[in-house]
Amino acid sequence: MQSFLAMGGYAAYVWPAYGVFFIVLLIDWLAPQFRRRRLLRELRARMARQNARKERTSQASAAST
């Protein structure tokens, strides 16, 4: 088992390469989830601003009549 882990003397190059690969794979898997959450949060904020603007204009028009 130790000879397998030593990778014929190239373990210092092979194992970090595996580590970088799995870190990139993890980031590639998580990035769309974070992007989706951010976009949904921005969309909710935009909709709230639009609704607040509509309420202000409807209140202003009702107060002027």
Side-chain angles (χ1 to χ4, degrees), residues 8-65:
Y10 295 103
Y13 304 105
V14 174
W15 292 116
Y18 277 123
V20 169
F21 168 75
F22 283 113
I23 288 171
V24 169
L25 193 64
L26 181 66
I27 290 170
D28 195 39
W29 181 64
L30 291 174
Q33 296 174 11
F34 288 126
R35 190 176 313 121
R36 181 178 183 272
R37 287 182 189 168
R38 188 191 71 220
L39 290 172
L40 287 174
R41 188 173 46 244
E42 289 173 0
L43 184 59
R44 283 188 200 108
R46 182 183 301 173
M47 290 173 65
R49 284 192 305 268
Q50 287 176 349
N51 288 337
R53 187 179 309 134
K54 285 180 185 178
E55 288 178 12
R56 280 195 308 263
T57 57
S58 65
Q59 288 174 357
S61 64
S64 66
T65 57

